[in-house]
Amino acid sequence: MRILVTGGAGFIGSNFIHYWLQNHSSDQIVNFDKLTYAGNLENLKNIRNNENYTFVKGDIASSKDVTQAMKGIDIVINFAAETHVDRSILDPAPFVITNVVGTQVLLDAAAKAKIKHFHHVSTDEVFGALDLASRQKFSEETNYNPRSPYAATKAASDHLVRAYFATYNLPVTISNCSNNFGPYQFPEKLISLSITNLLEGKKVPVYGDGLYVRDWLYVEDHASAIDLVLQKGKIGETYCIGQDNDIANIEVIKKILAILAKGESMIEYVKDRPGHDRRYAMDATRIKKELGWHAKYDFDMALELTIKWYQQNTKWWKKLKDRKFEEYYEEQYVKR
Ligand code: NAD
Ligand code: DAU
């Protein structure tokens, strides 16, 4: 099998490639990535010379790039996206280009190349926000109600994927996953930023009251879920992925502080994110019952593994917290 992984130099894409080559050693992986600020070939340096792995620099919004890359490919897995909600609030334009136009360009090339299976990696954020007081969870039946520019572009991309299935019979599947954490996550997201800030002796910025809830999943468990969708998923179907790890941000941060033996004085409450979604929670019954998926990692164990990884890979993340990152940090956390 020859698999085109778009966005394979990012956090989840690179973890997925490592997972795939370990579990399907006879497959060929082509990693197609634009290498934005979030794309990092260091994530894949130990497989650089693996004969089953190739890297192609390209943009999913370029028809020329994707048509070329699609030659001889059996399966496409689309991870490529602009992914950080706060950056989408500062500047939505690149999100529309990559997440909406890019997905459409990729779908078009996949349909023309008669790809056997197109899997689109999406998010729980397309469903909007749940109340803190309710016990409701998102499922495949939940109506779309995206509330940030990032979520709106991911929702549009999901609709396009379904449209290509209905209109052109492109064999597609979609997965909508909850918040991921683990190795190689760019240090801008809650867990990666908190760990790296604390390792640098800096405080952790907490938005609003800190009582916003996310359903956390270790990245390797996301990879195993996508693996099952590719092996056993029904064409045209959507699968929600999550682990019932609904935890308030402040509780996540307190767990990180405890593991790193730091006090609560390292918490800094800052101005809230505009339109901040209060709670996400996923009902993953379909993928569990129909495909037999279950998460391997429990949250506390995976958090310890993740912290250990950032402690052992300071060179990796320190390089990413460069001048450009500082400018972003200033705009996001200081000037607002
Ligand atoms: P990331 O920001 O770490 O990586 C994104 C990758 O896409 C980078 O390597 C970047 O260079 C590449 N890319 C961006 N624009 C591109 C373009 N135009 N052409 C080609 N490559 C491009 O993202 P991530 O956290 O690994 O997320 C991967 C996917 O999973 C995204 O589609 C995201 O919406 C989805 N997702 C993420 C999470 C999460 O918690 N991180 C949860 C659910 C779903
Ligand atoms: O739910 C899946 C989504 O999870 C993915 O689709 C996105 O690509 C990914 O970025 C992530 O989005 P979130 O906005 O939920 O993740 P983030 O880590 O940015 O924020 C998690 C929570 O922590 C959220 O309530 C905002 C809060 N937060 C975040 C940052 C960066 C803070 O309180 N302080 C911070 O500095």
Side-chain angles (χ1 to χ4, degrees):
M1 237 8 129
R2 225 175 130 74
I3 305 173
L4 185 72
V5 173
T6 71
F11 161 51
I12 306 176
S14 59
N15 276 286
F16 179 81
I17 291 173
H18 286 299
Y19 168 93
W20 196 269
L21 290 174
Q22 273 157 24
N23 290 280
H24 306 272
S25 55
S26 59
D27 286 342
Q28 294 284 329
I29 294 267
V30 179
N31 173 12
F32 178 92
D33 198 296
K34 187 179 171 184
L35 298 183
T36 66
Y37 78 94
N40 188 352
L41 290 178
E42 293 269 307
N43 303 4
L44 298 147
K45 73 169 185 233
N46 61 344
I47 55 157
R48 208 172 25 199
N49 299 321
N50 184 323
E51 55 189 23
N52 290 1
Y53 168 77
T54 321
F55 173 70
V56 175
K57 186 167 186 222
D59 183 345
I60 59 164
S62 156
S63 173
K64 189 170 158 255
D65 289 358
V66 296
T67 303
Q68 179 66 27
M70 210 73 83
K71 284 182 184 152
I73 293 293
D74 301 298
I75 296 176
V76 175
I77 310 173
N78 183 28
F79 289 93
E82 288 291 340
T83 63
H84 193 34
V85 173
D86 295 323
R87 290 187 195 254
S88 85
I89 295 168
L90 292 171
D91 181 13
F95 288 72
V96 176
I97 302 298
T98 286
N99 301 1
V100 185
V101 178
T103 302
Q104 185 272 325
V105 169
L106 201 59
L107 286 162
D108 221 47
K112 285 182 183 139
K114 301 202 182 325
I115 291 300
K116 293 187 188 111
H117 190 157
F118 184 105
H119 182 73
H120 182 61
V121 180
S122 193
T123 169
D124 57 2
E125 302 207 8
V126 299
F127 300 122
L130 298 166
D131 285 339
L132 259 194
S134 87
R135 290 191 167 185
Q136 218 189 328
K137 288 182 182 264
F138 299 133
S139 77
E140 293 82 0
E141 265 48 77
T142 307
N143 288 335
Y144 275 34
N145 182 25
R147 290 161 32 85
S148 71
Y150 162 69
T153 59
K154 289 298 288 187
S157 69
D158 291 8
H159 291 317
L160 282 165
V161 174
R162 292 193 184 100
Y164 269 74
F165 172 63
T167 312
Y168 306 108
N169 294 319
L170 181 68
V172 305
T173 44
I174 298 179
S175 51
N176 294 86
C177 190
S178 62
N179 286 62
N180 284 214
F181 68 105
Y184 303 118
Q185 185 165 36
F186 191 86
E188 64 185 351
K189 309 280 165 76
L190 181 71
I191 290 185
S192 52
L193 180 76
S194 300
I195 298 170
T196 56
N197 269 16
L198 290 168
L199 293 177
E200 289 178 303
K202 292 185 184 146
K203 294 192 177 188
V204 176
V206 181
Y207 296 158
D209 57 13
L211 299 178
Y212 295 86
V213 172
R214 297 293 182 265
D215 178 359
W216 295 98
L217 184 74
Y218 191 57
V219 63
E220 193 183 311
D221 284 323
H222 189 179
S224 72
I226 295 174
D227 186 356
L228 274 179
V229 175
L230 290 170
Q231 310 291 333
K232 303 206 273 177
K234 190 173 155 211
I235 293 301
E237 198 62 276
T238 295
Y239 296 90
C240 284
I241 308 167
Q243 203 193 349
D244 300 322
N245 276 326
D246 317 352
I247 312 174
N249 295 338
I250 195 68
E251 295 308 321
V252 172
I253 291 164
K254 284 182 183 167
K255 283 175 188 282
I256 297 173
L257 287 169
I259 295 169
L260 288 174
K262 304 260 184 188
E264 289 186 18
S265 60
M266 296 307 281
I267 295 173
E268 184 176 18
Y269 285 90
V270 299
K271 198 166 165 190
D272 210 349
R273 173 185 282 176
H276 198 166
D277 290 338
R278 186 46 100 171
R279 183 171 76 89
Y280 302 148
M282 282 303 240
D283 175 354
T285 305
R286 175 179 287 167
I287 192 167
K288 286 180 183 161
K289 283 211 167 142
E290 293 180 13
L291 307 189
W293 177 77
H294 64 272
K296 196 167 122 189
Y297 293 87
D298 118 285
F299 180 73
D300 289 339
M301 171 176 90
L303 189 62
E304 287 204 26
L305 283 178
T306 303
I307 292 175
K308 206 172 268 169
W309 187 88
Y310 282 87
Q311 283 172 320
Q312 288 168 349
N313 291 277
T314 45
K315 259 198 194 152
W316 179 90
W317 58 263
K318 276 198 171 160
K319 251 195 233 167
L320 303 177
K321 286 190 150 181
D322 57 7
R323 233 172 102 190
K324 247 184 151 182
F325 183 83
E326 273 172 26
E327 280 165 23
Y328 158 73
Y329 204 84
E330 177 86 7
E331 195 172 355
Q332 176 60 25
Y333 294 98
V334 184
K335 282 192 194 153
R336 281 199 311 132

